[in-house]
């Protein structure tokens, strides 16, 4: 729908922006959720993932062995990286870093899967851990689509809307980091928080083995447990009534023997209660390895052999324990988490393993979502409604071209008359030869105004004073009135600069008078606001800036506001070389626009140019001006050299 008040081309641009916003948001959600899910699934079952990564490495002759610390840490890093990149993108935090990392990560992954597709090195990419298996072709397609989306996002990065304030993003990051690290470490220490394997607690092995249907996993139907003489005992074990306990030893030589006493206790309970207790080792295990385990553990129970893939799938622990009762899996334990000793009580009621996805997933998701929502809510409450309403919901839907882009110079008390005239002349010539892409204004000491007005091209360079009196006229020695400023040919005046507030005692009341007089005399006002360092350090910057606006501008009409330009100048950044980060500037500008929207309405706020000032240089201007709520700069030191000032003006090109 065509919005009122916008001419044809502006409307097309607005509409284009809106469509772009939707397209970027869609890509962002798809990419972010894919990453969060794949990181999460790796964190849920890092032991299974370890085996997949090792399969890759082995195929390239770089196998580390699944027990290597490097591999364990590698899987942790991979899970954390994917999960964190996904969360950062989803919440629009650290946009630049996240997008750069994403482009690098996805490029490497796509190259890797292209190679796998053509060489057929491993069966499963492991993108989604052990939960979901994709073919090489599907993986490649997925990665190419994701890469294309990531490039699109990176091209239109400014449409990635931030959903948590910069000030509290660390809290959202920390919550996510703790969650994903804890998930991985807990799974390493005990068992996966969700059992994606075919042997999840509750599985009816007897049924799967004797009467499989089309959905029965192949690993269950092909289960084969052989005794030392090569007799297949699977049928009889699964058919037997009561309990059978399997001590799985996927790599007997590496099996941890820290809990052997408890394992032997359970084997004794089994012997006393007349139920089966077997060690299960991979088929290729040699007798010496089995006897080594028996020596180390002091265990004396029969051994069965099975396909190593079966053993890995049964329980993610070495050694691990599986309890089967009436042919059904009814308990699993890692060696770190064996059921407590105490009489004959060994059974399903002591199971600590997670169930299948539909049972375990909702709980696990809640453990993340609830703390994260608390953080987001807290952020919202603390930063205030305005920030969210304005900055998050509206800013990107509005066209920035409606507002004037301005670069204004503030010469302060510099340059003699001759030097000033020469500077203005040089700037005039440079800009005549290379037209600026924004409005350019120079604000000079009073004595320069009239001569400079005579030499600059008013079409290209606007002229302003740095101050005017708070009185109309009369016996105010040394003062210069707004009418006098206007009479020189100047069109602008800077008011409320922090140096005037600090050194000349200009209060909000005095500034209010000055603003009124300037407007009455047809001058446009560049009104400065900004907090000092202590105020920022104590988190009061929003209150300070809001009070400055309220104190001097809130009695103006919406119409008068069209002649006001705001300049946010954090005092700690003025002339110090210490610039606010682009994010800090954007956060404050968005807040200011929100305050103005509340007072004067959305339209006034949208049309209001808000400049940033404070150690702005050619090297940082582009980044700061790229922010959606920054409409240009008020430049001090760098306005005294044409090359520097021109460099900043060119940031709009
Ligand atoms: P600066 O000054 O660019 O030298 O920091 C800005 C200003 O005071 O307007």
């Amino acid at each position: 729908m065509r919005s009122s008040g916008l001419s044809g081309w502006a409307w097309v641009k607005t509409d284009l922006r809106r469509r772009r916003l939707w397209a970027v948001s869609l890509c962002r959600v798809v990419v972010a959720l894919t990453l969060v899910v794949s990181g999460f699934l790796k964190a849920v079952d890092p032991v299974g993932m370890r085996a997949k990564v090792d399969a890759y490495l082995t195929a390239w002759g770089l196998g580390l062995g699944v027990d290597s610390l490097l591999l364990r840490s590698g899987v942790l890093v991979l899970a954390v990286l994917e999960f964190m990149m996904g969360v950062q993108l989803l919440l629009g935090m650290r946009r630049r870093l996240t997008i750069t990392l994403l482009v690098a990560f996805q490029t490497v992954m796509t190259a890797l899967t292209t190679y796998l597709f053509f060489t057929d090195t491993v069966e499963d990419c492991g993108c989604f851990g052990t939960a979901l298996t994709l073919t090489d072709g599907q993986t490649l397609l997925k990665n190419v689509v994701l890469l294309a989306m990531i490039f699109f996002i990176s091209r239109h990065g400014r449409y990635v809307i931030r959903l948590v304030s910069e000030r509290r993003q660390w809290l959202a990051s920390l919550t996510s980091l703790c969650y994903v690290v804890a998930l991985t470490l807990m799974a390493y220490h005990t068992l996966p928080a969700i059992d994606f394997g075919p042997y999840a607690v509750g599985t009816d092995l007897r049924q799967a083995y004797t009467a499989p249907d089309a959905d029965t996993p192949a690993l269950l139907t092909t289960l084969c447990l052989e005794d030392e003489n090569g007799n297949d005992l699977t049928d009889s074990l699964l058919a037997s009534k009561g309990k059978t306990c399997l001590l799985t030893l996927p790599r007997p030589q590496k099996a941890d023997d820290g809990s052997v006493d408890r394992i032997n206790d359970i084997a004794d309970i089994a012997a006393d209660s007349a139920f089966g207790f077997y060690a299960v080792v991979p088929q290729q295990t040699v007798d010496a390895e089995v006897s080594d385990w028996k020596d180390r553990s002091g265990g004396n129970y029969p051994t069965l052999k099975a396909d190593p893939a079966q053993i890995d799938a049964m329980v993610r622990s070495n050694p691990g324990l599986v309890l089967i009762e009436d042919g059904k899996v009814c308990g699993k334990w890692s060696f770190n988490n064996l059921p407590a000793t105490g009489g004959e009580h060994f059974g399903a009621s002591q199971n600590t393993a997670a169930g299948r996805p539909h049972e375990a997933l909702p709980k696990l998701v809640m453990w993340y979502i609830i703390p994260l929502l608390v953080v987001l809510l807290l952020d919202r409450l603390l930063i205030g409604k305005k920030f969210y309403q304005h900055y998050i919901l509206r800013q990107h839907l509005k066209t920035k071209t409606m507002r004037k882009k301005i670069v204004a110079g503030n010469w302060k008390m510099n340059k003699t008359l001759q030097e000033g005239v020469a500077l203005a002349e040089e700037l005039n010539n440079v800009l005549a030869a290379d037209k600026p892409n924004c409005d350019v204004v120079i604000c000079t000491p009073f004595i320069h105004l009239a001569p400079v007005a005579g030499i600059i091209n008013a079409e290209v360079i606007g002229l302003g004073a740095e101050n005017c009196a708070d009185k109309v006229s009369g016996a105010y020695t040394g003062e210069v009135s707004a009418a006098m400023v206007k009479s020189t040919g100047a069109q602008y005046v800077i008011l409320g600069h922090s140096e005037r507030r600090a050194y000349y005692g200009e209060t909000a009341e005095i500034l209010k008078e000055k603003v009124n007089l300037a407007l009455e005399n047809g001058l446009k006002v560049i009104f400065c606001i900004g907090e000092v360092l202590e105020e920022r350090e104590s988190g009061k910057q929003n209150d300070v800036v809001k009070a400055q606006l309220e104190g001097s501008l809130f009695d103006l009409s919406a119409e008068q506001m069209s002649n006001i330009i705001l300049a946010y100048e954090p005092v700690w950044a003025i002339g110090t070389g210490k610039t606010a980060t682009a994010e800090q500037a954007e956060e404050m500008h968005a807040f200011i626009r929100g305050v103005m929207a509340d007072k004067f309405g959305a339209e006034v706020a949208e049309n209001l140019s808000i400049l940033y000032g404070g150690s702005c240089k050619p090297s940082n201007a582009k980044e700061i001006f790229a922010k959606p709520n920054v409409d240009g700069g008020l430049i001090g030191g760098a306005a005294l050299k044409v090359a520097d000032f021109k460099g900043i003006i060119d940031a709009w090109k």
Side-chain angles (χ1 to χ4, degrees):
M1 213 177 64
R2 190 174 277 245
S3 63
S4 60
L6 287 179
S7 67
W9 177 234
W11 176 77
V12 171
K13 281 184 120 175
T14 312
D15 197 46
L16 182 69
R17 278 161 191 269
R18 190 165 291 152
R19 269 186 279 141
R20 242 186 226 154
L21 173 71
W22 284 112
V24 170
S25 304
L26 182 73
C27 292
R28 165 189 177 183
V29 170
V30 171
V31 173
L33 288 184
T34 310
L35 284 166
V36 167
V37 169
S38 43
F40 170 80
L41 292 175
K42 289 182 179 91
V44 162
D45 184 9
V47 175
M49 190 59 209
R50 219 165 62 178
K52 288 187 189 245
V53 177
D54 198 50
Y56 271 109
L57 297 175
T58 310
W60 294 322
L62 299 170
L64 294 168
V66 286
D67 294 304
S68 102
L69 185 63
L70 195 62
L71 194 58
R72 276 167 180 264
S73 325
V75 169
L76 172 72
V77 169
L78 192 63
V80 169
L81 189 68
E82 281 190 323
F83 191 80
M84 292 305 290
M85 283 194 302
V87 171
Q88 302 271 113
L89 184 66
L90 200 61
L91 299 181
M93 305 188 291
R94 300 180 186 85
R95 200 173 61 188
R96 194 178 287 246
L97 173 73
T98 307
I99 294 178
T100 311
L101 270 178
L102 265 177
V103 169
F105 179 81
Q106 196 58 30
T107 307
V108 171
M109 287 301 166
T110 312
L112 194 67
T113 42
T114 310
Y115 172 80
L116 294 179
F117 180 73
F118 289 109
T119 56
D120 213 7
T121 323
V122 290
E123 263 175 37
D124 172 25
C125 64
C127 298
F128 296 107
T130 49
L132 193 66
T133 307
L134 300 183
T135 63
D136 285 350
Q138 289 166 334
T139 306
L140 181 59
L141 183 67
K142 177 203 82 158
N143 280 346
V144 169
V145 171
L146 285 184
L147 188 63
M149 286 182 165
I150 290 169
F151 274 125
F152 181 68
I153 296 171
S154 95
R155 209 176 125 53
H156 302 289
R158 73 189 188 88
Y159 289 88
V160 175
I161 302 172
R162 171 183 283 283
L163 297 181
V164 58
S165 73
E166 194 190 8
R167 206 174 318 147
R168 269 169 286 276
Q169 64 183 3
W170 67 270
L171 207 53
S173 298
L174 189 67
T175 310
S176 312
L177 186 69
C178 290
Y179 178 77
V180 68
V181 170
L183 202 60
T184 317
L185 295 184
M186 275 165 63
Y188 269 143
H189 187 70
T190 58
L191 294 180
I194 302 176
D195 198 335
F196 290 107
Y199 290 91
V201 171
T203 306
D204 190 339
L205 296 179
R206 188 188 293 165
Q207 159 103 28
Y209 187 73
T210 53
D213 58 29
D215 296 333
T216 309
L219 270 178
L220 291 186
T221 56
T222 57
L223 178 63
C224 176
L225 297 165
E226 288 178 346
D227 68 10
E228 277 139 348
N229 304 319
N231 301 317
D232 185 351
L233 301 189
T234 323
D235 214 7
S236 64
L237 283 179
L238 296 185
S240 70
K241 275 234 149 263
K243 294 173 188 165
T244 303
C245 195
L246 304 180
L247 176 73
T248 58
L249 293 159
R251 291 168 305 287
Q253 277 184 311
K254 300 265 167 129
D256 191 291
D257 53 17
S259 328
V260 288
D261 291 344
R262 180 62 195 129
I263 292 173
N264 293 340
D265 282 348
I266 295 171
D268 290 345
I269 295 171
D272 293 347
S273 319
F275 66 82
F277 187 102
Y278 303 89
V280 186
V281 300
Q283 255 138 13
Q284 70 276 17
T285 313
V286 292
D287 290 347
E289 287 175 286
V290 176
S291 20
D292 171 61
W293 167 254
K294 290 200 169 160
D295 288 347
R296 280 198 291 141
S297 65
N300 184 24
Y301 27 76
T303 306
L304 300 176
K305 288 192 173 173
D307 181 341
Q310 301 277 9
I311 301 178
D312 280 334
M314 281 180 196
V315 51
R316 301 284 200 222
S317 177
N318 186 25
L321 209 60
V322 187
L323 179 67
I324 299 170
E325 195 159 0
D326 297 336
K328 259 192 186 171
V329 179
C330 57
K332 283 191 191 190
W333 297 269
S334 130
F335 68 87
N336 276 320
N337 200 20
L338 290 168
T341 20
E344 276 85 67
H345 305 297
F346 168 67
S349 61
Q350 290 166 305
N351 172 57
T352 51
R356 294 200 195 87
H358 67 277
E359 297 150 5
L361 191 62
K363 234 190 287 171
L364 216 53
V365 171
M366 284 302 144
W367 272 103
Y368 177 54
I369 296 292
I370 290 176
L372 188 69
L373 286 181
V374 170
V375 169
L376 296 183
L377 194 73
L378 201 76
D379 181 50
R380 199 204 140 108
L381 289 177
L382 292 177
I383 197 98
K385 198 164 117 236
K386 274 176 217 105
F387 174 85
Y388 277 88
Q389 276 184 350
H390 193 83
Y391 178 68
I392 292 181
L393 301 178
R394 285 198 242 144
Q395 65 164 341
H396 288 271
L397 295 178
K398 300 285 179 181
T399 165
K400 206 176 156 182
T401 51
M402 287 164 69
R403 299 199 282 270
K404 279 209 155 92
K405 297 175 278 189
I406 302 168
V407 173
N410 172 13
W411 288 6
K412 307 195 180 181
M413 198 172 76
N414 291 296
K415 307 286 176 192
T416 62
L417 180 60
Q418 292 73 20
E419 287 166 351
V421 168
L423 176 62
E425 204 160 18
E426 190 188 344
L427 181 70
N428 194 56
N429 293 341
V430 167
L431 295 185
D434 183 13
K435 288 259 175 311
N437 221 359
C438 60
D439 285 6
V440 174
V441 179
I442 48 176
C443 298
T444 73
F446 293 127
I447 61 149
H448 297 80
L449 290 173
V452 167
I455 54 165
I456 56 174
N457 176 356
E459 297 281 301
V460 182
I461 304 178
L463 181 63
E466 297 169 14
N467 180 27
C468 71
D470 60 338
K471 301 287 188 296
V472 179
S473 65
Y476 300 103
T477 306
E479 286 295 291
V480 175
S481 71
M484 292 171 181
V485 169
K486 181 72 182 174
S487 71
T488 63
Q491 310 95 27
Y492 296 84
V493 61
I494 296 176
L495 293 174
H497 193 281
S498 62
E499 285 148 18
R500 295 220 51 95
R501 291 182 196 255
Y503 310 141
Y504 301 97
E506 294 194 359
T507 60
E509 268 308 303
I510 295 174
L511 289 170
K512 192 166 155 184
E513 288 304 312
K514 292 190 175 196
V515 169
N516 285 333
L517 287 170
L519 293 176
E520 275 169 25
N521 283 285
L523 291 170
K524 289 185 194 300
V525 175
I526 301 176
F527 190 77
C528 304
I529 46 188
E531 78 286 353
V532 297
L533 188 60
E534 303 84 78
E535 288 161 344
R536 175 157 283 265
E537 280 174 348
S538 54
K540 292 201 190 113
Q541 67 273 31
N542 286 5
D543 297 341
V544 170
V545 164
K546 188 175 173 195
Q548 291 171 339
L549 292 168
E550 263 171 4
S552 304
L553 302 183
F554 268 29
D555 286 343
L556 298 179
S557 66
E559 203 195 324
Q560 285 176 308
M561 278 306 298
S562 64
N563 286 317
I564 300 282
I565 295 155
L566 293 182
Y568 168 60
E569 300 202 311
V571 181
W572 46 271
I574 297 178
T576 57
K578 211 173 164 192
T579 336
T581 63
E583 265 71 32
Q584 281 171 326
E586 172 58 16
E587 194 172 320
M588 179 55 92
H589 282 223
F591 170 75
I592 293 169
R593 208 178 292 288
V595 170
M596 300 310 268
D598 271 8
K599 172 65 192 163
F600 296 100
E603 204 181 326
V604 167
E606 277 311 320
N607 291 326
L608 181 67
S609 295
I610 308 178
L611 315 183
Y612 168 79
S615 299
C616 196
K617 306 181 272 270
S619 56
N620 59 22
K622 209 174 181 118
E623 189 189 351
I624 298 174
F625 295 177
K627 293 291 172 193
N629 280 294
V630 179
D631 306 304
L634 179 57
I635 319 299
L640 299 174
K641 283 201 189 108
V642 171
D644 289 349
F645 196 49
K646 174 75 168 37
I648 297 173
I649 293 167
D650 286 349
W652 281 119
K653 288 205 165 160

